Amino acid sequence: MSDDGTSSRRRFIHLAGVTAATVGLAGCSSNGGDGGDGDTTGGTQGTVEPVPDQYATATALGGNERDPDAVSSQSAVAYQPEPKSGQQCSGCLYYIPDKNGDGVGACAIVEGTIEPNAYCVSYAPYQG
Ligand code: SF4
């Protein structure tokens, strides 16, 4: 008779797993040496542009501060340049909106610059 507790516990475990996977993936990408936070062009991604400095530790819509040492690669989260079923980065709590007028932003948990109408499997609706 403790369904509520079990349910929220499962959700926590799920979220913890996602976080652990994110950290694990970020750790893998740094085994090439002193690559640094934004300069990842030599890794497996190749085409991902590093974020401008103003995004490196910026705060996302949902309040999460970006940690440049703990972001996932775009390929790891199946980042795609178009929305999926009406879901897109500009409506995600991890999104960091454009700060320099170039039309693209960043993400608190995914590397590189992020298109506002893109999508990835870590999407979480922002309800602010
Ligand atoms: S959908 Fe993915 S890439 Fe886009 S803001 Fe959310 S977590 Fe970041």
Side-chain angles (χ1 to χ4, degrees):
M1 294 294 183
S2 60
D3 265 347
D4 286 348
T6 305
S7 176
S8 60
R9 189 176 191 171
R10 281 186 182 152
R11 187 184 311 163
F12 172 78
I13 290 169
H14 172 72
L15 290 172
V18 170
T19 303
T22 302
V23 171
L25 288 166
C28 288
S29 69
S30 64
N31 65 0
D34 60 347
D37 44 46
D39 189 12
T40 56
T41 52
T44 54
Q45 301 87 345
T47 58
V48 177
E49 290 184 34
V51 297
D53 288 347
Q54 67 221 94
Y55 294 98
T57 58
T59 302
L61 292 175
N64 303 64
E65 184 174 316
R66 188 176 188 274
D67 179 352
D69 295 323
V71 291
S72 296
S73 69
Q74 292 186 0
S75 59
V77 294
Y79 177 82
Q80 63 182 51
E82 61 277 331
K84 181 176 182 181
S85 303
Q87 299 176 332
Q88 61 183 47
C89 293
S90 61
C92 175
L93 62 83
Y94 297 118
Y95 190 62
I96 301 168
D98 177 24
K99 292 179 176 294
N100 57 10
D102 65 1
V104 298
C107 175
I109 61 170
V110 178
E111 71 172 348
T113 54
I114 301 292
E115 299 279 346
N117 58 349
Y119 169 84
C120 91
V121 297
S122 293
Y123 174 87
Y126 173 58
Q127 298 169 342

